[in-house]
Amino acid sequence: RFQETRLPGRVIALGIAKMSLVHANIAAYAAPRAHAGRRTSTSRTRSPAPKYDVALRKARGTVVPRAVVDPAAVVPALNSKHDEFAVLEATPNDTYVDVVFKDGASFRFHALWLRDACSDANHVVADAGERILSMLPVNTGCDADLRAASCEIDETGGRLIVTWTNHEIPSTFGAKSLRAFADVVAEPLVIGSEIPPLAASETEWLDPFTGYPDAPGQSPSQIDYYKNEDGVVFPSYDHDAVVRDPKLKLDVMRDLMRAGAVIIDDVPENEVDSSTLHAFVDDVLGGMQKDPCRDERNWKIVKKADASSISYDPEKRLNNHTDQSVPPWGGTPALVLIMHYQKGSGCNTLVDGFKVAEDIRATDPEAFEMLTTYGSNQTRDFVSSRKDTTQALNASLCVHKREPIIQLDDAGNIVRIQYNEVFRTPLELPFDVFPKWYAAYTKWVRMLHDTKYEVEVDMQAGKMLIFHNWRTLHGRAGGKASKDRTLIGGTVTREAFFSRATELLEETAGYDMRVTGTKVK
């Protein structure tokens, strides 16, 4: 039986009993040393006596052997590789594999790590995104003593093919992904300044939204803070242009996280249903969060006489808040909120919660400590709070939360703001803490509604307003809405947003969405 794995410019037939790998582009790798022209490296059970260099000592006091393959010896091959992260050499070395990349970096990988990490068609079902369980290292006799039998590089340097001593099926690795992981999982063989640093990743803006436990807050360098007194113009995009262009979709997502809000203009008219809204959110932002108490994913707000809920009475001012501060599954609030003016007009208010929080940190550290340390109690009844809706509710749910209004990562960067005054309940604060916390809370609320910070955004039919719900608080200016104002919208979870962003990065820039994370660049 044979299985074919297609590589650039050729096909490698993989046999169960024997595999023959075609050697190509040998001349390009000619270099002044004995094995420089080889395209296949074979395993050795023991490394030759390593040369040591005191300059290569690590902080922990150990001595690292020099690279088995010296990057300088393959300089003639540099110009033959079109990809800056191409693999130049790969050599089995006991229970390791030493790899030299075109950017000059040289690393030692555990053979077992490589075998375990392999995600080619022999080890992962691409359509399902699932590991083939029969090929797991633990199910194929692979352990800490695993050794590579040989390494071969395709003619572009974009693929590394490793065969193993204990079975016939090889493992194929993409050079760019392997280089991305190297800084995290491999032992550098060229230490310190000799390793060219990787350029700042174009995916770093997504790091705060990976969902990993160590996901950082947004770095100030990734944020354009805004205040009303400075004059604010949010990025705006044409609806149809965004829908047509995957790169513009990514631009919308990046701008949303950097600026805190984005406006979509010239939205096609649709007063009948929410299909226009859903099509845009599904295609650009990853899809709308399903509400647990109704069939529709979106909410709908229409003015109602004598409304009990302030949300349905646009004559009243609605204080600035974040949505889903008490999320239906007790997890993280939605990352993105989008509202579409289906009919009529109105005036929404936006505030940069990160900017307000940073100003409190700078001017009143004790207040900042109160708001980042102690939780604010909130309770939401998802049925009662929608008493005035025109939508049918089919389930009941009441959720209780107690989270700090300002939430930080371990480095002190702000992760999110979580605040909704209408659902606040009696505070569970210690007797001696309450006066200090309440003074800080009062400052927070007053700053949120100060014209120094609060921005008014006029909206009308044909516009969508999208904002970063972990950062931008939104409200409504009272008495500025038309009688026919019809507003539909909803929320997008972090998971949906991050997933869509990585799909678009893979589509537009060739990124491997499986290696986008907080450590791997």
Side-chain angles (χ1 to χ4, degrees), residues 348-421:
N348 289 94
T349 57
L350 300 181
V351 176
D352 188 345
F354 284 11
K355 178 58 178 172
V356 173
E358 292 294 355
D359 283 359
I360 292 177
R361 190 204 306 249
T363 61
D364 193 342
E366 183 180 40
F368 187 79
E369 182 179 3
M370 289 291 109
L371 296 174
T372 57
T373 303
Y374 296 97
S376 170
N377 294 74
Q378 299 185 27
T379 298
R380 184 177 184 184
D381 185 322
F382 277 74
V383 174
S384 296
S385 64
R386 291 160 174 170
K387 179 179 182 296
D388 302 299
T389 184
T390 59
Q391 296 172 285
L393 302 177
N394 55 22
S396 62
L397 182 68
C398 190
V399 178
H400 305 266
K401 296 291 288 182
R402 186 181 65 225
E403 303 289 345
I405 291 174
I406 305 170
Q407 297 164 27
L408 308 177
D409 65 12
D410 291 341
N413 291 318
I414 299 172
V415 173
R416 75 179 62 87
I417 304 298
Q418 196 165 339
Y419 169 75
N420 195 330
E421 185 63 34

Side-chain angles (χ1 to χ4, degrees), residues 301-337:
I301 297 177
V302 179
K303 181 179 180 179
K304 180 181 179 183
D306 302 320
S308 297
S309 171
I310 193 172
S311 296
Y312 300 86
D313 186 357
E315 295 304 312
K316 297 177 181 176
R317 175 188 174 92
L318 178 61
N319 282 9
N320 297 311
H321 62 284
T322 57
D323 254 30
Q324 302 285 54
S325 289
V326 282
W329 19 85
T332 304
L335 176 62
V336 174
L337 191 147

Side-chain angles (χ1 to χ4, degrees), residues 19 66 74 80 85 101 111 125 142 240 247 260 270 288 291 298 303 317 328-329 340 346 356 392 420 428 440 470:
M19 183 182 74
R66 286 187 184 275
V74 290
S80 70
F85 299 127
F101 295 91
V125 181
C142 300
D240 291 352
K247 291 184 178 179
N270 180 0
M288 198 172 291
D291 189 282
N298 64 281
K303 181 179 180 179
R317 175 188 174 92
W329 19 85
H340 173 208
V356 173
N420 195 330
E428 297 176 352
W470 290 4

Side-chain angles (χ1 to χ4, degrees), residues 3 5 7 14 115 117-126 130-132 135 159-162 164 169-174 514:
Q3 180 176 355
T5 300
L7 296 175
L14 308 179
R115 176 64 178 80
C118 184
S119 57
D120 67 12
N122 291 322
H123 300 83
V124 172
V125 181
E130 298 178 354
R131 283 177 177 262
I132 300 172
M135 290 298 294
R159 292 287 184 271
L160 169 65
I161 306 98
V162 180
W164 308 102
I169 304 298
S171 298
T172 301
F173 305 90
R514 293 164 297 187

Side-chain angles (χ1 to χ4, degrees), residues 78-96:
L78 291 179
N79 293 328
S80 70
K81 300 298 183 182
H82 68 276
D83 190 323
E84 63 177 316
F85 299 127
V87 174
L88 294 184
E89 289 281 354
T91 307
N93 181 15
D94 198 43
T95 58
Y96 311 105

